[in-house]
Amino acid sequence: MQAKSIIAVLCACAGISTGVSAQELSRVVSGDMPTVRDRFEGLGLRAGQFWVLPDVETGYFYDSNVFGEAEGQNSDSGVYVSPSVSLRSDFGRHQLNLRAGLDHYEYFDFSSQSRTDFDGELDARFEVTSDTELKANLKGGRFNQEPGDLEYPTAGVSASPGAYYDLDSWVSLRHAFNRLAVSVGAAFDFFDYDDVDGIDQDFRDGHITTTGGRISYLVSPGYRLFGDFRYNWREYHSSTIPDSDGWRALAGVEFEVTRLVTGELGVGYNEQTYDFAGSPTTSAFSYHGALTWNPTSLMTVRLNADRTIEDSTFNQSGRVQDSAKLIVDYEVMRELIFSPSVGFAFNDYENSSLDDLRIEAGAELEYRVNRFMSVGSRYKYSYSDVTGPGLTDWDRHLVGVYAKARF
């Protein structure tokens, strides 16, 4: 749920966007199983058939490279506050969950980088019959681009954060015929970018529509073989980023081993055809993996990995993106959780010598003072290795301490 944030600077210790949210309509993702961190939630407030779970976090952070520069790096520090509230249903057969949050970051020296973001999510599951299930999800908000991201074209260092709005929705219907299960669905992702320092960003505005489905077969208890196919249409408000359509096909296995390990692994092919002179097609081998593993009651391991074809602001043939993220939550003591993480995203730009490797690693240490209050610290390291004319590498350190209240 938190992987959607592009730059929740110190509210996530090491997140990397995989760029596949709307295209994966009904997949198993790491995080579906209860985790060690679930025990850190507050008691909540009862409201009819819902539990209301409010919380607020505030803290101090230090940023070693505010603008993601290779040379002459500018550092700064600041404070932030992040209130949020979750509403979780207690219906039995059905589920209806909501969440809304706000993040305000205040930089002390570079006040132009101060910002207020917000996001929300609605998640629903309806058990139509014992064999038929309908799922739907709607999420969106106001976010900011990572400093130093190649896909954010500005003239030099941006004097203000690069804000954008994203609304992502999907619906999926799944029916089981004894051992055979079939799911079909559709997704729609809408995005709108604000101008930055007088530079027009409207050419980045657009939407992606995806439809498809999955067929799976239970070969033995806990193991399902599947075939998955998705077709997408991508449309933009300017020809700078050409419209395109494409597909992704995967075959693999879903697994659930004694509730200790759950996830899925798939391999296949990905293709995207762009709408401009010559109509070139970008294609690549594709894979997808998602895993949640509880080796002991004190540890949760989560892994996600994907290869997809993403669009580019300055390359009309797009880019092939490999990405992966590993997070471990370890309960050192009943009141103390240690969470190291590491991830990467590698972008190979088609018909170009340009490559971009982004590596992120970090750790979080959270101590639960009581059932309502916790304190902690976070560290996040980012490194960008860019291969291309006139481009240089850079790195960034984020360090922070915080206090969080749960009700």
Side-chain angles (χ1 to χ4, degrees), residues 80-274:
Y80 72 93
V81 59
S82 300
S84 69
V85 60
S86 297
L87 192 66
R88 299 185 182 178
S89 65
D90 188 15
F91 296 154
R93 291 177 55 192
H94 312 299
Q95 284 185 357
L96 182 63
N97 303 320
L98 299 94
R99 188 192 63 81
L102 181 74
D103 302 316
H104 177 73
Y105 296 90
E106 192 68 35
Y107 281 79
F108 292 151
D109 295 332
F110 295 99
S111 58
S112 63
Q113 299 303 303
S114 300
R115 66 188 185 278
T116 301
D117 296 338
F118 58 85
D119 68 279
E121 182 172 10
L122 170 65
D123 186 72
R125 181 183 65 82
F126 302 98
E127 190 176 313
V128 182
T129 68
S130 59
D131 297 322
T132 306
E133 182 180 64
L134 177 67
K135 289 183 177 181
N137 181 274
L138 175 67
K139 63 182 178 182
R142 182 185 188 272
F143 310 102
N144 276 270
Q145 193 94 355
E146 280 276 12
D149 193 327
L150 290 181
E151 289 299 320
Y152 204 63
T154 59
V157 174
S158 168
S160 58
Y164 68 96
Y165 300 85
D166 193 330
L167 183 63
D168 189 358
S169 61
W170 60 261
V171 61
S172 176
L173 180 66
R174 182 180 186 275
H175 182 76
F177 305 88
N178 198 3
R179 287 175 172 264
L180 183 69
V182 178
S183 64
V184 294
F188 183 79
D189 187 10
F190 169 83
F191 35 89
D192 183 275
Y193 287 79
D194 285 348
D195 295 346
V196 180
D197 304 340
I199 301 176
D200 186 8
Q201 299 293 309
D202 289 344
F203 71 94
R204 305 187 70 189
D205 301 344
H207 61 268
I208 300 175
T209 304
T210 308
T211 187
R214 170 175 294 198
I215 298 177
S216 63
Y217 185 78
L218 183 67
V219 293
S220 66
Y223 295 91
R224 280 185 172 273
L225 298 179
F226 72 82
D228 190 291
F229 182 82
R230 316 285 156 150
Y231 199 91
N232 70 81
W233 297 265
R234 305 177 184 181
E235 298 184 15
Y236 292 88
H237 293 181
S238 169
S239 59
T240 303
I241 305 177
D243 296 343
S244 65
D245 60 272
W247 54 270
R248 186 189 191 193
L250 295 171
V253 58
E254 303 171 7
F255 51 87
E256 182 177 343
V257 185
T258 65
R259 294 298 293 170
L260 295 179
V261 181
T262 186
E264 68 179 30
L265 296 172
V267 294
Y269 204 71
N270 208 4
E271 187 173 282
Q272 201 73 23
T273 300
Y274 290 90

Side-chain angles (χ1 to χ4, degrees), residues 68-83:
E69 301 168 277
E71 299 178 356
Q73 298 180 359
N74 293 278
S75 62
D76 198 2
S77 57
V79 294
Y80 72 93
V81 59
S82 300

Side-chain angles (χ1 to χ4, degrees), residues 304-318:
N304 277 303
D306 270 289
R307 169 178 265 204
T308 57
I309 296 175
E310 305 298 327
D311 298 328
S312 172
T313 59
F314 53 86
N315 186 322
Q316 290 189 315
S317 300

